[in-house]
Amino acid sequence: MLEHGGRLRVAAARYGIPLADWLDLSTGINPCAWPVPAVPASAWLRLPQDNDGLEAAACAYYGTEHLLPVAGSQAAIQALPPLRPPCRVGVLHPGYAEHAHAWRRARHTVTSVSAKELNDIVPQTDVLVLINPNNPTGARFTADQLLHWHAQLAARGGWLVVDEAFMDAAPEESLARFCPRLGLIVLRSLGKFFGLAGARVGFVFAEPVLLDQLYAHLGPWTVTAPSRWVATQALADFPWQQTARRRLALDSERLAFLLKCHGFTPHGGCALFQWVCSPHASEFHDRLARRGILTRRFESRMPGATDPPSLRFGLPGDETGWARLDAALQALSDATICA
Ligand SMILES: Cc1ncc(COP(=O)(O)O)c(C=O)c1O
């Protein structure tokens, strides 16, 4: 099983701290989520139906109609690799590890590639999988750069898969609007920016033939009717989206500044998290967890991996959370200086 953020119950049992007392910064989920209203009773009663308003709301939000709703982008991450015969796949590393895992499981030859190596790997690759902005490094790729790689891959029947799970806070560089294009696949999620990870809703943007194959592979009713209803309302709530973008930009800057003030200058980040590299990442993770603050630790167990140990910090959701983090970072930096 791959490691993920958000495993609060495991942390609570391990550190003997009650669930309610944790400040969970281990995910990149917006702590000030879209406020879910009461779901109409009819949504529980009937089977989910296509074109109930979700596809139209998504089309308006993402700017293209060639899309397929899925039960979180994770569902697409798992369903895409079996749609191709075994081939050479380059996957950005460090990055969301489920991608490499899914392609390997479908018997493809997977090469982990750093951001700097991407240009060189394209001629030797059939499928290139990127996360933009990347999780956990926060690295961003311009649409021009991505379309350049896509053109090279598509000319040989290849695919460019761009996971845009963290794109919504600053969507100018999204490739969704360029879909459908042969060999271009874009994944979006309602889990991060909208803070609706539990609803399990995401979207795939691709050429219609591929969307049909995915649909056939996944089967009917993949997104529940209550989740479809909630997602439809959230995608259409333009004023909330505007306010959330402004707030996330401020909070992300605030988090970067706070970390820096305590001597933990981030090496990267995006609107929903900051990424700090340190040889002491494991110890920092443990010390913070003892104070009931959960971060996401990254330590590559891949043979020959050169990526540094690191921690990802999500955003606190209220002033109490900010004060707790401030105090914990102060104690951590005091302990680091004394050591
Ligand atoms: C980069 C990235 N892509 C996709 C996912 C899956 O998100 P979901 O299935 O909730 O849409 C995650 C979850 O952490 C992620 O970090």
Side-chain angles (χ1 to χ4, degrees), residues 4 71-75 77 96 99 131 135 163 165-166 188-192 197 200-202 312:
H4 289 286
S73 47
Q74 179 64 32
I77 290 170
Y96 184 57
H99 287 287
I131 304 155
N135 171 19
D163 175 345
F166 291 96
R188 296 289 288 259
S189 170
L190 261 75
K192 316 300 183 192
R200 313 302 309 131
V201 185
R312 189 187 63 203

